[in-house]
Amino acid sequence: MEFSFIFSQFLSGLTYGMILFLVASGLSLIFGVMNILNFAHATLWLIGAYFCYSFWYLMQGYNFALWVSIPLAGFACAAVGWVTEIVLIKHIYKRELHEQLLITYALALIFADLIKIVWGPTDRLIARPPAIQKPVFIFGAPFDSYFIFVILAGFAVALGLWWFLKYTRYGHIVKAAVFSREMVGALGIPIPKIYTWVFTLGIFIAGFAGGVQAPIGSVNFGMDIAIIIQAFCVVVIGGFGSLLGTLVGAIIVGEVFSFAILYWPAGAMVLIFVITAAILIIRPWGLFGTPMRT
Amino acid sequence: MPAALFVLALILPFIVREFWVHVLNEILILGLFALSFNMIFGYMGQLSFGHAAYYGVGAYTTGLLMVKANWPLFVTLPISMVTAGICALILGYFCVRLRGIYFAILTMAFGQLVFYIIFQWYSFTGGDNGLQGINPPAWLFKTNPYYFFTLVVVTIGAIILWFISESPFGYTMRTIRDNTERTEFIGINVQRYMLINFVIAGMFAGLAGAIWGPFNRSVAPDLCSWQHSGGPVFMAILGGPHYFLGPMLGSVIYTLLNAFVTGYTEYWPLVSGTVIIIVVLLLPGGVLGVYKEKFGHLKSKESTTLEHGGS
Amino acid sequence: MKSKALKIVFVFVALVFLVGLAGSGKVMSAEPYNLGVALGFTGAGTLYSKDQLEGIHVAVDEINAKGGFLGKYPIKVFQRDTQTKPDVGVREVKDLILRDKVRAVINAYSSAVAVAVKPICREYKTLHIPALSNSENITKINYSPYTFQVAPNTYMQAKAAVLAIAKMAKDKGWKEYVTLASDYEWGRSTQEEVVKELKKVAPQLKLKKEFWPRLGETQFTSFITSIMAMKPDFVYPCLASKDNVSFIEQAKPYGFFEKVTFAGGMVSVTELIIEAKTIPRGLVAITRAPFFAHLDVPMMVNFVKNYRAKYKKYPSDWAVMGYDAVYSLKQGIEKAKTIDTDKVKDAMKGLTVDLTRGKLRFRPIDNQLSCSSYVGVVGDDPKYPFPILKDVIEVKGAESERPEAEIVAARKAEQK
């Protein structure tokens, strides 16, 4: 098999990994800080994709339509996330695990139907701006030029989050809260507000990720169900609450998927679940996570 | 009280229309599924989000044996319990080493694993087509006879589960739920007990699945999906996980609601999602839990309130 | 304590009882004909299912304007979402039959759902009219006298595609090909037939590799790059509706269609309309019921007119077949002179019906309508705001049906 082919498969896997990373990073962040496993995360991602479509549709005549719509989708979703947190999520932080899981699961159901009501079940297609209509050639093998953007966007978000957590005051607070929320609360920092903003940030990333996904293929109903489980696997493999872990986990899943499709297409998902299960058994807190604090 | 309910269940088919007998049949099967789930949740304090895997294994065992090998239903039922139990044994071996959210996620991952295996193994299981033509024997073919058959099987299953939950083994489960560490300290091999309980729960989920196949005349890989696993979780919480029949009551309410709502609107997920949120937020301890608060007393053998579920 | 609990239970039962009663006692001035529509309104088949429901509504409106079936039974449509899942489909259809008392069900997407529903309709003596899913297994084996297929089945479509491909292979000197099929009932059965028939008709062609993306696949990149790396003479695609759209969209930026010939895949009018701006022209495609191929039939012209008036767009294949399904039923009822299901099914057996696609007959051995398959080249047409298939070759039912002897043999094999 030619090197250029393998390399383009690698890049495809990397692209898919980046999308997974964008979806999973918010999930990991929310879980790391607030201990909530957000079942509705992928559905919000899908809402972001639909928002992106709608914004693009309104601005169709302009070449910049798509590029503006993607961050707009992020903000629109963040608004949805913010409202959700204040109305509902806020009240379940102290609840039992099963209650939290059921509530976010119920949210996923509700949001999915809302998508059906607002946008209808038909597929939505975004026509690409000329800049990304033709492939680029890497070592002679064609590669979707938009995917370059996806990879860059993924890294940009990763870097942004890393810088945020390491160098800004809010970032430090968030990191500390992952470690011990009692201490943060004891230091007089309003935990509820932190939670609201972290949740909103997580959903912003999810919405942005949805926007990034939108021009790939079509936006259709049911995409969220496919990706939520994979996002869970990413977070498990990488480790809850760890940014680096999520990135690494996402790339692993993306690449396993990409190459398994070639040799064992039926087993691609099976393989990912086996890896996930193995991590949970051998090292439950993931490759880069820290053992669960009490 | 349960005796009164049983009598009620016996006479209902003669009062209501055929469609609702179908619904009752479904209530019973899903109720048994939820009861088996509650062995892990209400009595042992762990949240399994992949219980549908064993339900599906049971359903497929019966389906495959009946369709491909023409074995009679009565023989396939116990075999389905065995295969589901073996599956629970293998997967549970790993799950019981974890607690809390890790337990939940691992059970979910395993559930998906089983789903994908059945889904992809087209040559054996029929993959996404599922299996068709799972026909019960002629004397059970019609709605009412099959309903009574379900009633008998589910009742026997429930009685067995009841005896298990009230046995010393059952009480050991409660102590594991209430304080895992202390239970270890008094010399009980917690993991082994959890595994046994997990297997029992799996076997009865398999039994429920086994009755489902002929009822629906077909099975599909979806029966193992994590969405299907969510059903018994909600039913147990809705009815009250600390009362033995709570999950059955949850099945009654949820399944009736489903049958009712889907007749009027296609937006069942919206409705069910809203109902779930309302129930979880406003009805702590489920319907029976609220009942107990309002009316003070139920039978003395209810289990005590959940503290921090063994994490 | 016991009495309180019992009271609650009895209230419950009373409610169930009342609901049960309430549902049954609807007094209507004219007895309606309850028609069930169980399609995949969510899941992979959403696009097609919605279109088909629209076609059905146009037919129902037309017939009800004249009083309904036989002029006195207005049609009432009950729709359910099978979610493209066989077990949900079975449940919903049982619902339709038991609660809504439908006499006929138009179903389904996907083929797996239709296959699961077939025995249920047989058990409850309800007519079952597939007008979308077309896996041959719906009619070939496990014959049900209640099931009537109005879409060209996978064998017929495969045969038509094969005839077209064989001709092109000869003209262009093709040698190697790959298949790209969605891994589900329809994809599998179609691909199987095509490969088999191609071997017979164009033995010089070699199948290099089979690709099997799963149904609902969203990321086709690996497939796209793999196929392009193999440089086959052509690709035979067999992807489900949404996936077809997704694949074409995803493959274009790779310059896929300039390098690889996509031949024989299904491009229905739905895709032509949705992807009007983006679909590559020159694709050789097959479809099931394009309206523009039958504008010589007055019934089709009338249908297109009424459909456009109601929905402001052109009807896709699925709408056409939904319309035809209702009219097949109508003519069956008219021949039987009653709405009694058993008499209607007997009347429909072997019946020749006047449809938008012409005068077609239900073949008695499998209740398959002898409808045509249509192969053409994607190209623009000034009459329409979207490209259509040009140079359409209509492969008639009689040319593409599976020989009866083979069906008998297949059924015998199934019995063992």
Side-chain angles (χ1 to χ4, degrees):
Chain A
M1 213 160 265
E2 306 158 21
F3 169 72
S4 60
F5 175 65
I6 296 196
F7 190 66
S8 86
Q9 285 299 100
F10 166 72
L11 284 182
S12 307
L14 188 60
T15 310
Y16 188 55
M18 279 304 152
I19 300 219
L20 282 178
F21 166 71
L22 287 171
V23 177
S25 54
L27 188 66
S28 180
L29 186 65
I30 293 174
F31 185 81
V33 177
M34 288 108 78
N35 236 347
I36 301 263
L37 193 59
N38 187 13
F39 255 116
H41 206 75
T43 316
L44 284 158
W45 166 77
L46 187 56
I47 291 183
Y50 275 99
F51 268 133
C52 182
Y53 168 80
S54 292
F55 287 130
W56 167 82
Y57 191 76
L58 290 174
M59 300 189 270
Q60 255 183 94
Y62 304 99
N63 267 349
F64 58 75
L66 175 62
W67 311 112
V68 172
S69 302
I70 294 180
L72 273 183
F75 286 112
C77 264
V80 173
W82 185 75
V83 170
T84 310
E85 202 274 343
I86 295 205
V87 167
L88 181 62
I89 308 286
K90 199 168 267 312
H91 303 286
I92 63 171
Y93 292 130
K94 296 207 164 52
R95 296 285 194 135
E96 301 279 347
L97 169 70
H98 63 266
E99 295 173 309
Q100 296 174 341
L101 280 185
L102 273 180
I103 290 203
T104 58
Y105 174 69
L107 268 182
L109 292 173
I110 294 177
F111 281 138
D113 257 3
L114 285 178
I115 292 179
K116 240 207 300 190
I117 295 177
V118 173
W119 280 281
T122 356
D123 285 19
R124 305 289 171 166
L125 278 173
I126 294 183
R128 297 189 176 194
I132 47 172
Q133 272 177 19
K134 297 240 161 276
V136 292
F137 287 88
I138 305 191
F139 297 117
F143 189 65
D144 187 339
S145 42
Y146 181 65
F147 285 7
I148 308 279
F149 169 74
V150 174
I151 296 178
L152 291 176
F155 276 122
V157 168
L159 249 111
L161 278 175
W162 173 79
W163 181 84
F164 170 72
L165 289 172
K166 197 165 163 88
Y167 291 113
T168 65
R169 179 164 177 267
Y170 288 110
H172 292 156
I173 295 175
V174 167
K175 246 170 70 168
V178 173
F179 216 63
S180 167
R181 67 190 79 153
E182 288 81 19
M183 278 312 289
V184 173
L187 290 171
I189 295 168
I191 286 290
K193 246 197 179 165
I194 304 281
Y195 283 6
T196 306
W197 286 110
V198 168
F199 191 82
T200 309
L201 175 63
I203 305 300
F204 170 80
I205 302 174
F208 181 80
V212 169
Q213 167 72 35
I216 303 177
S218 61
V219 182
N220 53 62
F221 197 68
M223 283 166 70
D224 54 337
I225 304 192
I227 218 168
I228 185 71
I229 295 285
Q230 291 172 33
F232 279 0
C233 291
V234 165
V235 177
V236 165
I237 294 175
F240 291 105
S242 160
L243 179 64
L244 179 60
T246 310
L247 186 60
V248 170
I251 295 179
I252 292 179
V253 172
E255 296 295 352
V256 166
F257 213 73
S258 185
F259 284 98
I261 291 278
L262 294 180
Y263 302 108
W264 191 26
M269 282 310 294
V270 172
L271 198 51
I272 292 179
F273 282 118
V274 167
I275 296 177
T276 308
I279 297 270
L280 273 170
I281 294 166
I282 304 171
R283 198 186 150 94
W285 51 90
L287 293 175
F288 291 91
T290 44
M292 277 276 287
R293 67 211 182 285
T294 46
Chain B
M1 229 284 269
L5 288 177
F6 185 74
V7 170
L8 179 68
L10 275 175
I11 57 177
L12 272 175
F14 303 106
I15 315 178
V16 300
R17 292 187 315 162
E18 189 182 356
F19 172 70
W20 294 103
V21 179
H22 259 277
V23 176
L24 284 169
N25 203 333
E26 204 177 310
I27 290 176
L28 287 174
I29 296 178
L30 294 179
L32 177 62
F33 182 29
L35 281 175
S36 74
F37 163 78
N38 207 32
M39 296 298 284
I40 301 178
F41 180 59
Y43 286 93
M44 200 170 82
Q46 293 299 324
L47 179 63
S48 166
F49 224 95
H51 207 56
Y54 317 108
Y55 180 78
V57 167
Y60 266 88
T61 306
T62 294
L64 284 168
L65 285 174
M66 285 178 74
V67 168
K68 300 213 173 173
N70 267 321
W71 285 21
L73 179 59
F74 287 94
V75 177
T76 63
L77 282 188
I79 297 183
S80 299
M81 289 181 74
V82 170
T83 54
I86 294 177
C87 188
L89 181 63
I90 300 174
L91 300 179
Y93 177 78
F94 299 104
C95 294
V96 299
R97 275 151 179 67
L98 301 173
R99 305 279 181 277
I101 186 131
Y102 295 126
F103 180 90
I105 297 182
L106 186 57
T107 53
M108 183 162 57
F110 276 147
Q112 285 305 103
L113 187 60
V114 171
F115 167 78
Y116 271 104
I117 293 177
I118 295 184
F119 186 81
Q120 300 286 19
W121 202 352
Y122 173 65
S123 50
F124 182 52
T125 65
D128 58 306
N129 286 355
L131 280 171
Q132 261 58 259
I134 307 177
N135 292 328
W139 61 283
L140 287 181
F141 203 71
K142 291 208 156 308
T143 307
N144 278 8
Y146 200 82
Y147 168 76
F148 288 120
F149 167 69
T150 303
L151 183 59
V152 166
V153 173
V154 169
T155 307
I156 296 178
I159 292 177
I160 299 177
L161 281 176
W162 164 256
F163 275 115
I164 294 177
S165 69
E166 289 302 311
S167 69
F169 177 78
Y171 279 91
T172 311
M173 282 302 114
R174 291 170 177 75
T175 57
I176 291 179
R177 173 195 70 200
D178 292 337
N179 197 321
T180 321
E181 269 185 1
R182 200 177 286 177
T183 318
E184 283 273 18
F185 288 161
I186 58 174
I188 291 183
N189 185 338
V190 168
Q191 277 184 5
R192 189 188 318 152
Y193 272 78
M194 285 178 78
L195 183 57
I196 297 176
N197 192 34
F198 198 83
V199 171
I200 294 174
M203 287 173 74
F204 283 89
L207 179 61
I211 323 175
W212 173 264
F215 171 63
N216 214 34
R217 314 282 193 254
S218 68
V219 293
D222 256 44
L223 293 175
C224 301
S225 67
W226 60 276
Q227 291 102 316
H228 228 83
S229 290
V233 178
F234 181 57
M235 289 176 193
I237 291 176
L238 173 60
H242 306 301
Y243 305 99
F244 181 73
L245 281 181
M248 182 58 80
L249 177 61
S251 176
V252 170
I253 300 175
Y254 185 78
T255 313
L256 276 180
L257 192 65
N258 183 351
F260 205 66
V261 172
T262 51
Y264 291 99
T265 171
E266 59 180 285
Y267 297 118
W268 163 246
L270 184 65
V271 172
S272 71
T274 315
V275 169
I276 291 176
I277 293 183
I278 294 176
V279 166
V280 171
L281 286 183
L282 301 177
L283 286 182
V287 168
L288 288 177
V290 168
Y291 178 84
K292 184 199 174 216
E293 269 189 53
K294 291 282 168 69
F295 300 113
H297 40 266
L298 274 178
K299 300 243 293 272
S300 54
K301 292 234 170 143
E302 88 242 358
S303 33
T304 49
T305 4
L306 198 70
E307 287 156 12
H308 255 268
S311 50
Chain C
M1 172 202 86
K2 235 184 185 166
S3 58
K4 268 208 182 99
L6 275 180
K7 266 200 208 135
I8 298 181
V9 169
F10 277 127
V11 166
F12 227 172
V13 173
L15 273 176
V16 170
F17 186 29
L18 283 172
V19 165
L21 277 184
S24 57
K26 287 205 185 97
V27 179
M28 296 208 83
S29 48
E31 186 192 343
Y33 186 98
N34 290 348
L35 177 65
V37 177
L39 294 170
F41 294 106
T42 52
T46 319
L47 292 174
Y48 297 172
S49 298
K50 202 161 86 75
D51 284 352
Q52 180 148 103
L53 182 63
E54 291 171 352
I56 293 174
H57 275 303
V58 173
V60 169
D61 288 344
E62 286 176 5
I63 298 175
N64 279 351
K66 306 208 178 89
F69 284 138
L70 296 177
K72 49 184 171 161
Y73 302 104
I75 309 171
K76 191 152 184 273
V77 176
F78 292 85
Q79 88 187 61
R80 292 303 174 91
D81 182 6
T82 65
Q83 294 178 31
T84 317
K85 295 182 185 157
D87 53 325
V88 177
V90 164
R91 204 160 162 270
E92 294 301 320
V93 169
K94 258 201 244 179
D95 231 45
L96 283 171
I97 297 175
L98 292 175
R99 181 174 20 199
D100 301 319
K101 306 253 188 282
V102 301
R103 293 172 186 269
V105 180
I106 298 181
N107 157 273
Y109 185 99
S110 62
S111 290
V113 179
V115 171
V117 167
K118 190 170 68 166
I120 305 291
C121 284
R122 187 175 188 176
E123 206 183 305
Y124 288 97
K125 299 203 195 317
T126 305
L127 286 168
H128 178 221
I129 307 179
L132 207 169
S133 296
N134 69 341
S135 161
E136 206 196 350
N137 283 333
I138 299 175
T139 47
K140 183 170 86 177
I141 50 177
N142 288 329
Y143 171 75
S144 162
Y146 292 89
T147 298
F148 291 86
Q149 168 66 275
V150 303
N153 66 37
T154 45
Y155 180 84
M156 292 157 81
Q157 292 255 288
K159 192 95 178 271
V162 162
L163 290 174
I165 292 177
K167 183 166 179 308
M168 285 191 297
K170 207 164 63 165
D171 293 341
K172 304 195 185 184
W174 284 344
K175 298 248 172 27
E176 294 180 333
Y177 73 107
V178 299
T179 62
L180 176 68
S182 290
D183 194 1
Y184 77 122
E185 171 64 36
W186 174 78
R188 282 188 290 260
S189 77
T190 308
Q191 193 264 15
E192 216 181 283
E193 283 310 322
V194 166
V195 171
K196 232 192 324 182
E197 291 298 312
L198 266 180
K199 252 199 231 135
K200 282 193 223 157
V201 180
Q204 79 278 17
L205 290 173
K206 210 170 76 106
L207 172 62
K208 254 181 102 172
K209 190 163 170 142
E210 305 177 347
F211 289 94
W212 295 101
R214 57 192 173 94
L215 179 65
E217 181 63 73
T218 48
Q219 307 284 357
F220 284 101
T221 326
S222 312
F223 297 100
I224 296 168
T225 48
S226 306
I227 295 177
M228 287 179 79
M230 292 184 86
K231 298 205 193 16
D233 287 315
F234 70 94
V235 177
Y236 173 71
C238 198
L239 298 170
S241 69
K242 264 189 206 171
D243 303 353
N244 211 5
V245 173
S246 281
F247 183 84
I248 295 180
E249 285 308 303
Q250 285 181 36
K252 268 180 45 204
Y254 283 84
F256 186 88
F257 297 99
E258 281 111 54
K259 301 241 164 57
V260 181
T261 307
F262 224 48
M266 189 177 81
V267 178
S268 73
V269 174
T270 308
E271 279 87 44
L272 289 169
I273 296 179
I274 291 186
E275 298 174 70
K277 295 205 186 96
T278 53
I279 192 170
R281 311 305 193 245
L283 280 186
V284 177
I286 186 173
T287 186
R288 292 180 207 175
F291 71 91
F292 46 78
H294 281 293
L295 291 174
D296 51 323
V297 179
M299 193 172 172
M300 177 64 88
V301 176
N302 183 48
F303 168 59
V304 175
K305 193 173 97 217
N306 289 348
Y307 185 90
R308 283 194 70 196
K310 188 164 171 144
Y311 295 107
K312 314 272 181 293
K313 57 179 181 175
Y314 283 90
S316 65
D317 310 59
W318 325 105
V320 168
M321 291 192 289
Y323 185 85
D324 278 352
V326 180
Y327 271 94
S328 300
L329 181 59
K330 172 169 184 284
Q331 290 170 51
I333 291 176
E334 281 166 357
K335 172 145 184 256
K337 299 210 189 15
T338 166
I339 57 173
D340 175 81
T341 303
D342 273 312
K343 299 216 174 66
V344 173
K345 81 163 200 304
D346 291 333
M348 280 178 83
K349 195 175 165 102
L351 181 65
T352 302
V353 284
D354 284 307
L355 299 175
T356 59
R357 292 174 276 167
K359 230 174 173 53
L360 303 167
R361 177 176 170 261
F362 283 108
R363 191 163 75 152
I365 189 170
D366 54 1
N367 293 340
Q368 166 71 52
L369 189 68
S370 59
C371 45
S372 312
S373 304
Y374 307 82
V375 183
V377 180
V378 176
D380 290 296
D381 187 313
K383 283 201 290 294
Y384 307 103
F386 51 87
I388 63 170
L389 294 182
K390 313 213 87 166
D391 310 323
V392 171
I393 307 172
E394 183 183 346
V395 181
K396 298 226 185 259
E399 293 166 51
S400 50
E401 282 170 337
R402 187 186 283 280
E404 299 202 3
E406 287 182 26
I407 296 194
V408 172
R411 288 186 183 164
K412 243 202 259 175
E414 194 67 24
Q415 302 292 20
K416 285 201 214 108

